[in-house]
């Protein structure tokens, strides 16, 4: 036994060095005694609490170790490439209420109160001289784990209740939530997804799940959306709790998050990257796999169609001149550097690139991608691997140079711009023109400036291409190997699937958003696409959404003129081809709402600050155009059915449709309502306030009328009511309900309404409410500040939020939190908003949601930007939106 002669602690790196009196042999045992209090800090081993229906406060001890916080719980070599086995023993209260969980199954509970028994050695080693514990403790020992990384070690102790099942392969499945709360009744949905997902992945990977159990646990206070600890997956409540009364958005979010974490059990846990600079091996693959698995298990969710939403989010972030490569060029050797990798690039861009090459290989070498992935998992089981080893395995299975194709996408930032034009012989030509950089700190681009000024930033990619023409809707594939090559679509008269350049044919490139790039067309091709956009029989929702987002991006960059508002009008006309009071064009309305709201923000900031020569009437002109020519017809139908409308012709039937709403129809309604709110449509104010009015007389009391509102639109109804009610009664009702509400999903809805503070006084009160942990949990504080700052068309609100946040950064953001959508709300508008703030938007650093170490898919969070700059009149040109 060698005793320590000295210890040194490096505060910056959080590393402990122990010097021994003599050399030790292989297999030596290091024993360290340590102690610390459990704190409310959301990392390491920390304290959480919940309140039961009678008002009693209960406590939970839980962990969050990714990326570098296992060292906060116990001394360890805290790197993903240094795997070990773990044997956990926990001392917990010796009662019948306290549950102890760890990665592995419980071996057996030893002893009653602490005393002679299996854990007596631990008591003697670590509690010598300490008084007898009160209440008495029992020791819970768990089986030894397989080799795994420290960031995956987890344990939870508290008063929990569960529902249970067994997978087809015999794996024990349990879902846990705080005992004696309504949360327990919302576990069955996630448990069902867990069981079906486990069966799906075992069949897909052809590798049985290597552990004998999986526990999933809802934690009241939790930083990221979820964490994939091997065999013990922990979640925010809103990421795991749902039932048939939940909104369609909530059910989809729980489904995709459970399947994301489950994918990690193989891609990340079973085989792990060596170091964090290849985080995409974990998060990019799980981002892709959650879409594939959700589409397989819930085809009614149409995730293949919704992939374009993931794509758009990644394009917005990676288009910035400040973007970074998926695999950073510089060494990542600090906690801060590791944390910075947990962003939309590692999740969404990596997932989109993986999606693109999976789609391409399935067309030219069916089955090869999955065969290579399965081979990689088996060859590196329980170990570590590099991304190159994955691409080499897929290359071997496909017979194609996959690694050569893929690595440029991961080793350089950005993406290419694809240009489409026609030639005199009737053919169409598709080529890449280098990297497109989207700097939204220059709004003069949108109103008559130069096209970005970044044409010199070249890049080179192998670009898989998919396309179809209206003459033949068959999807065809090809590739552009570099900026020096192009792809040609032959004239219709020469080949089936060709293009009639002289007729009315349209050509759509990047089918369903499979490719990670933007597409610009020649003016006459844009016009044909605008015409086709009004008819869902000519262009599907995913293709239209991608077209809309490309049009907004290219308009803001000065490369496109006079298209976006024509597309907006076409989308409004599209509803006339759909059924009754609903639309299924969810992704198109989501993309259109994000683009129009961004235009509104740019105009509002420009007119309020005088930074650009924009008429003051432009803001109201845009709002009037959208109200009358874009959403008018659609809103007429939607508002014909009150928020409290009862089902007709059976459970779930809706209005004059006489059938249940489809999933996408249910998701589209909130998008339309939020767009109407941004455009200050007075009709939605009357519609929403009528539903909430019975609740306003006694704002602190439970309100049955609230339960009559359809769950899928409750969030926009309350937001609209609060935003339009200058008296503040709706806002006050939301505040008082938030004080008493314990349900996590409902709290998210109420926070959204509270963030719509209609007056300066209510805004200031809301800001101080964010610092009150009895009203806003620490995990929600950053999201609440961000919701306040991101009200569309309200630059003065952002200034007030910034003045508040800049002197309270420590209080506002004690830890970086995951940038998920507010619980219960629809997906956020995909465009980042910080570019619209009048001054350099430092509040983005202090208050915007950011991805934390943990594997919830992050929203696109904007980084701080420079002050807008005015261009000289000699360099300007007219651009129409």
């Amino acid at each position: 036994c060698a005793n320590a002669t000295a210890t040194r602690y490096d505060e910056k790196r959080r590393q402990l060095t122990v010097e021994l009196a003599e050399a030790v042999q292989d297999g030596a045992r290091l024993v360290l005694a340590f102690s610390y209090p459990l704190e409310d800090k959301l990392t390491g081993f920390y304290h959480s609490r919940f309140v039961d229906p009678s008002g009693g406060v209960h406590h939970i001890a839980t962990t969050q170790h990714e990326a570098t916080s296992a060292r906060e719980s116990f001394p360890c070599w805290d790197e993903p490439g240094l795997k070990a086995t773990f044997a956990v023993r926990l001392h917990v209260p010796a009662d019948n209420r306290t549950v102890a969980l760890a990665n592995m199954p419980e071996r057996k509970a030893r002893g009653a109160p602490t005393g002679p028994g299996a854990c007596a050695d631990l008591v003697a080693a670590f509690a010598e001289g300490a008084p007898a514990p009160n209440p008495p403790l029992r020791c819970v020992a768990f089986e030894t784990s397989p080799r795994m990384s420290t960031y995956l070690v987890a344990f939870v102790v508290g008063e929990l209740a569960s529902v249970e099942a067994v997978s087809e392969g015999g794996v024990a499945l349990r879902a846990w939530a705080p005992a004696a709360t309504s949360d327990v009744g919302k576990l069955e949905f996630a448990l069902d997804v867990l069981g079906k997902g486990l069966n799906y992945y075992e069949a897909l990977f052809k590798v049985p799940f290597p552990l004998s159990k999986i526990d999933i646990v809802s934690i009241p206070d939790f930083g990221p959306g979820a964490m994939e600890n091997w065999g013990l997956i922990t979640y925010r409540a809103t990421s795991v709790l749902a039932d048939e009364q939940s909104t369609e958005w909530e059910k989809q979010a729980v489904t995709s998050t459970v399947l994301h974490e489950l994918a990690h059990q193989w891609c990340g846990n079973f085989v792990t990257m060596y170091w964090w600079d290849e985080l995409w091996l974990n998060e990019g693959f799980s981002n892709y796999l959650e879409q594939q698995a959700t589409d397989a298990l819930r085809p009614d969710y149409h995730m293949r169609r919704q992939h374009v939403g993931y794509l758009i989010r990644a394009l917005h972030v990676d288009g910035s001149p400040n973007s970074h490569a998926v695999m950073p060029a510089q060494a990542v050797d600090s906690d801060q550097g590791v944390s910075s990798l947990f962003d939309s690039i590692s999740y969404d861009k990596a997932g989109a690139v993986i999606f693109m090459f999976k789609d391409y290989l399935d067309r030219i070498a069916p089955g090869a991608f999955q065969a290579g992935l399965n081979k990689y998992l088996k060859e590196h089981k329980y170990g570590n691997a590099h991304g190159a080893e994955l691409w080499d395995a897929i290359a071997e299975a496909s017979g194609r140079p996959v690694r050569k194709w893929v690595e440029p996408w991961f080793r350089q930032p950005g993406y290419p711009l694809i240009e489409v034009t026609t030639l005199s012989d009737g053919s169409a030509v598709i080529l890449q023109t280098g990297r497109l950089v989207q700097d939204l700190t220059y709004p003069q681009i949108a109103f008559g400036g130069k096209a970005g000024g970044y044409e010199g930033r070249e890049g080179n990619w192998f670009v898989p291409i998919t396309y179809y023409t209206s003459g033949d809707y068959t999807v065809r594939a090809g590739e552009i190997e570099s900026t020096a090559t192009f792809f040609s679509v032959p004239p219709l008269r020469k080949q089936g699937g060709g293009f009639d350049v002289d007729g009315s044919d349209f050509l759509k490139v990047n089918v369903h958003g499979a490719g990670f790039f933007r597409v610009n067309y020649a003016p006459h091709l844009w016009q044909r696409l605008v015409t086709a956009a009004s008819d869902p029989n000519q262009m599907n929702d995913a293709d239209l959404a991608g077209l809309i987002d490309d049009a907004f991006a290219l308009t803001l960059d000065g490369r496109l003129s006079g298209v976006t508002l024509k597309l907006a009008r076409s989308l409004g006309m599209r509803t006339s081809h759909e059924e009754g009071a609903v639309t299924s064009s969810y992704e198109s309305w989501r993309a259109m709402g994000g683009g129009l709201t961004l235009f509104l923000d740019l105009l509002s900031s420009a007119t309020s600050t005088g930074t650009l020569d924009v008429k003051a009437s432009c803001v109201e002109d845009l709002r009037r155009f959208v109200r009358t020519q874009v959403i008018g017809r659609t809103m007429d139908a939607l508002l014909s059915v009150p928020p409290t409308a009862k089902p007709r012709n059976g459970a779930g039937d809706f209005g004059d449709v006489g059938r249940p709403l489809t999933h996408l129809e249910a998701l589209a309604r909130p998008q339309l309502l939020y767009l109407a709110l941004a455009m200050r449509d007075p009709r939605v104010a009357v519609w929403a306030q009528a539903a909430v009015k019975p609740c306003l007389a006694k704002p602190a009391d439970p309100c049955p009328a609230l339960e009559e509102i359809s769950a899928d639109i409750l969030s926009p109804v309350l937001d609209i009511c609060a935003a339009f009610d200058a008296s503040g009664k709706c806002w006050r009702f939301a505040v008082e309900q938030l004080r008493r509400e314990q349900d996590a999903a409902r709290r998210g809805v109420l926070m959204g309404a509270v963030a719509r503070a209609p007056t300066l006084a209510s805004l200031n009160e809301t800001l101080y409410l964010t610092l009150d942990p009895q009203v806003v949990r620490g995990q929600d504080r950053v999201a609440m500040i961000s919701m306040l700052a991101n009200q569309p068309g309200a630059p003065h609100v952002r200034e007030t939020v910034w003045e508040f946040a800049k002197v309270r950064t420590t209080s506002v953001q004690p830890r970086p939190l995951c940038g998920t959508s507010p619980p219960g709300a629809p997906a956020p508008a995909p465009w980042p908003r910080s570019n619209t703030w009048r001054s350099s938007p430092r509040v983005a650093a202090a208050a915007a949601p950011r991805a934390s170490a943990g594997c919830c898919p992050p929203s696109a969070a904007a980084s701080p930007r420079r002050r807008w700059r005015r261009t000289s009149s000699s360099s300007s040109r007219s651009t129409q939106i």
Side-chain angles (χ1 to χ4, degrees), residues 223-227 239 257 260-261 283 347 818-820 851-852 854-858:
M227 178 59 212
S239 297
T257 304
H260 181 106
E261 307 310 316
E283 300 302 349
Y347 286 75
C818 183
T820 52
S852 75
C855 60
C856 68

Side-chain angles (χ1 to χ4, degrees), residues 66-80:
E66 191 179 33
T68 59
S69 293
R71 66 194 69 176
E72 296 179 26
S73 294
F74 55 93
C76 57
W77 280 270
D78 198 10
E79 299 183 10

Side-chain angles (χ1 to χ4, degrees), residues 402-731:
V402 176
R403 181 175 170 187
K404 178 182 176 182
W405 292 346
V406 174
E407 285 200 340
W409 290 91
F410 282 11
R411 293 191 179 278
Q412 60 184 334
Y415 50 82
L417 174 64
I418 302 301
E419 296 276 3
V420 185
T421 189
T422 55
L423 302 180
S424 58
D425 67 353
S427 63
V429 175
I430 306 172
L431 66 158
Q432 63 166 305
T433 59
R435 179 185 174 190
L436 174 64
V437 179
Q438 192 87 56
D439 190 347
L440 296 185
T441 64
Y442 295 91
Q444 76 277 2
I445 295 170
F447 304 109
K450 285 187 175 180
Y454 291 100
E455 291 87 343
R457 294 200 177 192
E458 292 297 328
N460 224 357
W461 295 266
F462 177 94
V463 184
I465 295 291
T466 54
Y467 73 94
Y468 63 83
T469 71
S470 54
D472 178 0
Y473 281 89
T474 302
V475 177
R476 289 176 165 79
E479 60 280 324
I480 305 174
E481 296 186 2
S482 70
T483 54
T485 63
F486 62 88
F487 182 81
S488 179
V489 180
L492 181 62
R493 65 180 179 273
K494 291 186 178 181
Q495 179 177 327
F499 183 66
D500 181 9
V501 69
D502 297 319
S504 59
D505 275 3
F506 68 83
L507 171 65
K508 178 64 179 73
V509 177
N510 201 14
V511 180
H512 288 171
F516 189 67
F517 47 80
R518 293 201 182 279
V519 185
N520 192 17
Y521 300 85
H524 63 288
L525 298 181
W526 270 113
Q527 186 53 52
R528 296 182 189 184
L529 290 165
V530 168
T531 301
S534 64
D535 187 351
N537 295 315
Q538 292 195 59
M539 187 180 299
N540 65 53
D541 182 37
D543 284 335
L544 178 54
L547 189 72
I548 289 168
D549 194 69
D550 284 350
F552 275 107
L554 295 167
T555 299
L556 290 166
D557 196 51
R559 299 172 189 266
L560 186 64
S561 179
V563 171
T564 52
L565 296 189
K566 290 178 182 177
L567 272 175
R569 189 184 290 113
S570 290
L571 179 57
M573 294 170 59
R574 186 181 179 94
T575 304
S576 65
H577 296 276
E578 296 182 297
E579 187 178 11
V582 294
T583 175
S584 62
S585 299
Y586 162 62
E587 287 294 349
S588 295
W589 280 112
R590 185 185 183 197
M592 183 61 71
L596 289 172
T597 303
L598 178 63
F599 277 1
L600 178 68
D601 281 342
L602 289 170
L603 289 169
S604 298
S605 293
T607 56
S608 67
T609 63
T611 52
L612 293 174
D613 185 17
V614 177
K615 294 180 179 179
S617 63
C618 284
V619 172
E620 186 51 39
D621 289 344
L622 176 61
R623 280 176 164 154
R624 186 183 305 107
F625 171 84
V626 175
R627 292 196 301 261
T628 58
Q629 300 192 47
V630 181
I631 62 175
R633 186 178 308 179
T634 306
M635 293 306 300
D636 286 343
L638 195 155
L639 299 179
S640 68
V641 181
T644 55
K646 294 294 183 182
R648 200 186 82 177
N649 300 331
D653 288 1
F654 178 78
D656 62 354
V657 182
R659 60 164 174 77
L661 289 178
T662 68
H663 180 71
L664 293 180
E665 288 170 347
L667 294 183
R669 294 173 75 204
Q671 292 294 331
L672 286 161
L673 290 168
Y674 278 119
L675 181 55
L677 169 58
M679 299 303 156
R680 305 299 293 180
D681 190 332
R683 296 175 300 167
V684 295
V686 175
W687 179 81
Q689 289 171 353
V692 183
K693 186 177 179 179
C695 303
L696 304 184
K698 298 180 178 180
D701 293 350
C703 182
L706 210 60
E707 309 307 320
E708 297 296 317
I709 300 173
S710 171
D712 285 312
I713 59 172
L714 178 59
S715 183
V717 165
L718 287 176
D719 283 14
I720 290 167
C721 183
F724 275 94
D725 181 15
S727 72
K729 291 182 179 179
C730 282
W731 175 83

